């Protein structure tokens, strides 16, 4: 059972988590929690502030984090001795954080390794409080540091899990606790290298932690508890009249997550598929609602387009090389550049003289352009967004593309691509028209 930031944002939210977990005790839950809402952003802001030389402001941020977590604790924990014990632990954690922040300030240096270490404090704080609150409510609980079993490579703040190691370590650490009738409370997002250095997954990674643990423990189900009723037909921040998707396949959900539906971290589905574990997305504010069930296959007879998703901030690269395009090895040469810069490409379209690519992460763009320019002309467009329509039945329904592009007649659409999996149609639009495009499509298909 994974609870996201808003689901643990204050004492009231944590109390809801307790009552939800109480209904699942027979199923031996492992509770995976995010940091309290916005705390990860605040921590990242804190270490940047220190690296920029503003130690006072950085310590002020730590003070605010401390006040918030002490307040939640005081509202939740009634046993005075336990509350004092918890406060001491919170203080210790934040004293440790202040030392790290001081180091960052003194060196004016912010490495990925320090970022991961600083960011880990959000989840460490939230789970510490939760475990005290669980115990006080009568649920026998053991707090487990995820770094005892969640091992990753050394990409510190964007780490990749070492599945085999986790699958052997997690049961050793967790089975005994679960079999003794206790609930495990542990952190999402954070992990460790095999030599004990703290790492984190990419942002939003607690969903991924939950499905990795589900895989390692052969869970019967992974529940993602969040602040919406399930996976919706579009981003509710863009479209008001979204509908809930009752059931969706792993492939569709993976595609949606990959193409921007924030409700799931893009990698969440990978471990679930591996062991065929159903994933349920549920609303922690309304636990009685049935949410969305993600599983291997579903009865698709009525389904059509499942959902419309988007990535607002993409970078489009147009690579033009008339001499090279038909030469074999040209695409290889292009992709070697992206590989070298560890940058993944989302969508690719080619014409006779042009290769266009979209990138989600443009951190290394300067180096990439420099190298591509050695054998082609490159231009960059930063005013575009990517739209993706997902549904397994797209391949059986003639005329979907026609309908899509007919209703979007007034918009400028480029880079149309129907993935090889044939469960999505994606294309690029002008960023300032993105919301209109999504609203128009949603009205057409779900209105
Ligand atoms: P949590 O903190 O629980 O992990 P997130 O903020 O990461 O929650 O993800 C939930 C949010 O994802 C929702 O509040 C919603 O605004 C956004 N979202 C974007 N696209 C979708 C979608 N297709 N279905 C549901 N939610 C979506
Ligand atoms: N706290 C982390 C983040 O904000 C992980 C998560 O919430 O899933 O990115
Ligand atoms: Mg999330």
């Amino acid at each position: 059972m994974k609870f996201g930031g808003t689901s643990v944002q204050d004492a009231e939210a944590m109390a809801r988590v307790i009552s939800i977990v109480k209904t699942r005790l027979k199923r031996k839950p492992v509770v995976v929690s995010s940091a309290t809402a916005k705390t990860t952003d605040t921590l990242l802001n804190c270490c940047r502030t220190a690296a920029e030389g503003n130690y006072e402001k950085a310590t002020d941020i730590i003070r605010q984090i401390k006040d918030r977590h002490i307040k939640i604790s005081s509202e939740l924990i009634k046993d005075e001795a336990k509350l004092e014990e918890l406060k001491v632990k919170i203080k210790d954690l934040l004293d440790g954080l202040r030392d790290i922040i001081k180091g960052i300030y003194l060196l004016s240096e912010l490495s990925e390794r320090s970022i991961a270490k600083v960011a880990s404090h959000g989840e460490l704080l939230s789970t510490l409080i939760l475990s005290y609150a669980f115990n006080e409510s009568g649920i026998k609980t053991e707090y487990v540091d995820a770094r005892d079993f969640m091992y990753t490579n050394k990409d510190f703040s964007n780490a990749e899990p070492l599945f085999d190691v986790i699958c052997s370590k997690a049961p050793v650490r967790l089975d005994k606790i679960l079999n003794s009738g206790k609930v495990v409370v542990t952190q999402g997002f954070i992990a460790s290298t095999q030599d004990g250095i703290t790492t984190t997954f990419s942002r939003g990674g607690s969903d991924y932690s939950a499905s990795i643990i589900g895989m390692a423990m052969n869970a019967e189900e992974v529940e993602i508890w969040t602040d919406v009723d399930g996976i919706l037909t579009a981003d509710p921040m863009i479209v008001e009249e979204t509908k809930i998707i009752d059931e969706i396949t792993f492939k569709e959900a993976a595609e949606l997550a990959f193409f921007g539906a924030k409700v799931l971290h893009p990698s969440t589905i990978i471990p679930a598929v591996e062991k065929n574990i159903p994933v349920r997305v549920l609303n922690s504010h309304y636990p009685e609602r049935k949410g969305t069930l993600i599983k291997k296959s579903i009865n698709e007879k009525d389904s059509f387009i499942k959902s419309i998703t988007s990535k607002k901030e993409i970078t489009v690269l147009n690579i033009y090389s008339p001499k090279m395009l038909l030469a074999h090895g040209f695409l290889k040469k292009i992709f070697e550049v992206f590989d070298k810069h560890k940058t993944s490409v989302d969508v690719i379209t080619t014409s006779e003289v042009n290769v266009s690519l979209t990138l989600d992460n443009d951190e290394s763009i300067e180096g990439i352009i420099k190298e591509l320019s050695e054998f082609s002309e490159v231009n960059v467009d930063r005013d575009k967004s990517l739209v993706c329509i997902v549904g397994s039945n797209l391949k059986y329904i003639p005329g979907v593309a026609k309908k899509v592009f007919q209703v979007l007649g007034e918009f400028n659409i480029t880079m149309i691509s129907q993935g090889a999996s044939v469960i999505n149609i994606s294309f690029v639009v002008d960023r300032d028209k993105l919301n209109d495009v999504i609203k128009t499509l949603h009205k057409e298909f779900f209105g």
Side-chain angles (χ1 to χ4, degrees):
M1 302 178 72
K2 175 264 175 177
F3 293 88
T6 46
S7 301
V8 293
Q9 66 184 349
D10 51 27
E12 205 184 314
M14 287 198 186
R16 269 197 303 269
V17 168
I18 293 170
S19 60
I20 292 169
V21 173
K22 270 192 177 153
T23 65
R24 304 285 204 274
L25 292 177
K26 279 204 190 105
R27 296 172 75 188
K28 299 190 192 169
V30 175
V31 173
V32 178
S33 178
S34 294
T36 54
K38 301 268 171 7
T39 295
T40 309
D41 288 337
T42 310
L43 286 163
L44 296 177
N45 181 24
C46 177
C47 58
R48 269 184 240 117
T49 304
E52 284 160 9
N54 199 339
Y55 181 61
E56 219 165 282
K57 188 164 168 215
T59 50
D60 206 45
I61 295 174
I62 298 176
R63 212 168 299 125
Q64 287 165 23
I65 294 174
K66 183 174 167 191
D67 291 348
R68 177 176 176 189
H69 289 86
I70 295 282
K71 179 168 183 277
I72 298 176
S73 305
S74 309
E75 286 171 12
L76 267 177
I77 310 298
K78 301 294 168 233
D79 179 321
E80 275 180 27
K82 284 286 170 195
L83 177 60
E84 279 319 303
E85 192 182 291
L86 172 59
K87 280 181 176 172
V88 170
K89 289 188 183 169
I90 292 176
K91 188 176 167 296
D92 286 350
L93 261 176
L94 292 171
D95 284 347
L97 175 63
R98 199 171 294 107
D99 290 344
I100 301 163
I101 291 292
K102 183 143 200 189
I104 293 170
Y105 160 73
L106 289 173
L107 296 170
S108 307
E109 191 183 70
L110 191 54
S111 65
E112 292 300 311
R113 183 170 158 168
S114 332
I115 291 174
K117 181 79 183 172
V118 170
S120 71
H121 285 75
E123 272 70 11
L124 290 171
L125 284 165
S126 63
T127 49
L128 186 60
I129 300 173
L130 264 185
S131 67
Y132 271 77
F134 271 64
N135 274 315
E136 188 170 89
S137 78
I139 303 177
K140 280 190 273 160
T141 305
E142 191 157 325
Y143 169 92
V144 177
D145 192 318
R147 293 168 296 186
D148 291 351
F149 61 85
M150 187 65 85
Y151 289 104
T152 67
N153 69 0
K154 292 184 176 173
D155 284 343
F156 297 104
S157 61
N158 188 18
E160 289 296 335
L162 304 174
F163 287 116
D164 291 345
V165 185
I166 299 165
C167 285
S168 77
K169 300 273 184 191
V172 174
R173 183 73 178 91
L174 305 182
D175 263 339
K176 219 159 99 196
I177 305 172
L178 294 171
N179 290 333
S180 73
K182 286 185 185 166
V183 170
V184 169
V185 171
T186 191
Q187 304 82 25
F189 186 52
I190 79 173
S192 170
T193 64
Q194 281 181 284
D195 40 11
I197 297 158
T198 300
T199 60
T200 70
F201 297 121
S202 56
R203 293 299 308 273
S206 294
D207 303 327
Y208 196 21
S209 301
S211 66
I212 296 169
I213 296 172
M215 178 190 78
M217 300 302 290
N218 286 308
E220 53 183 60
E221 194 166 281
V222 172
E223 295 183 343
I224 305 288
W225 290 87
T226 184
D227 60 352
V228 283
D229 283 344
I231 303 184
L232 304 169
T233 48
D235 183 343
M237 302 290 219
I238 301 178
V239 177
E240 274 172 33
E241 312 81 20
T242 52
K243 300 189 164 80
I244 304 156
I245 302 170
D246 294 333
E247 291 194 343
I248 186 168
T249 63
F250 285 137
K251 277 190 186 155
E252 292 168 323
E255 207 82 15
L256 279 176
F258 181 75
F259 283 102
K262 192 191 166 211
V263 64
L264 289 179
H265 181 276
S267 304
T268 313
I269 301 300
I270 300 166
V273 170
E274 183 71 27
K275 292 266 178 85
N276 194 11
I277 301 170
V279 177
R280 222 179 265 276
V281 181
L282 294 152
N283 191 339
S284 69
H285 297 262
Y286 301 98
E288 67 289 355
R289 295 187 183 166
K290 70 181 193 325
T292 299
L293 178 61
I294 310 169
K295 55 185 191 175
K296 191 170 172 191
S297 61
I298 59 173
N299 181 357
E300 304 237 37
K301 70 177 187 326
D302 305 321
S303 92
F304 181 42
I305 287 179
K306 279 284 167 48
S307 184
I308 303 161
T309 181
S310 62
K311 283 192 183 182
K312 187 170 182 187
E313 278 169 27
I314 56 156
T315 303
V316 176
L317 277 189
N318 292 303
I319 304 162
Y320 175 73
S321 185
K323 272 192 295 204
M324 288 296 291
L325 200 80
L326 292 175
H328 66 85
F330 177 55
L331 289 175
K332 177 166 179 256
K333 221 167 147 177
I334 293 180
F335 287 109
E336 270 167 1
V337 175
F338 289 95
D339 187 34
K340 190 171 149 196
H341 289 275
K342 291 190 175 167
T343 297
S344 66
V345 170
D346 285 350
V347 178
I348 311 152
T349 57
T350 61
S351 76
E352 213 165 304
V353 290
N354 202 53
V355 178
S356 298
L357 311 157
T358 73
L359 310 177
D360 191 13
N361 166 3
D362 71 351
E363 254 168 52
S364 310
I365 191 93
E366 275 173 31
I368 290 172
I369 292 174
K370 191 163 169 261
E371 285 184 44
L372 290 174
S373 301
E374 287 167 15
F375 57 91
S376 53
E377 252 174 59
V378 186
N379 74 58
V380 186
D381 189 343
R382 287 201 171 81
D383 300 320
K384 296 281 192 267
S385 299
L386 182 63
V387 177
C388 181
I389 299 173
V390 174
S392 312
N393 277 0
L394 288 184
K395 60 185 165 204
Y396 303 121
I397 302 159
V400 177
K402 181 175 162 201
K403 206 167 165 187
V404 169
F405 298 115
Q406 221 160 30
V407 295
L408 297 181
E410 62 175 295
F411 299 99
N412 177 28
I413 292 173
T414 56
M415 291 191 67
I416 299 165
S417 150
Q418 180 151 15
S421 61
V422 217
I423 69 164
N424 82 57
I425 297 175
S426 58
F427 48 86
V428 166
V429 298
D430 295 333
R431 194 172 298 167
D432 59 355
K433 293 289 187 307
L434 175 65
N435 289 5
D436 293 338
V437 165
I438 305 252
K439 282 180 186 159
T440 306
L441 283 173
H442 196 272
K443 195 161 163 215
E444 177 67 24
F445 290 109
F446 302 104

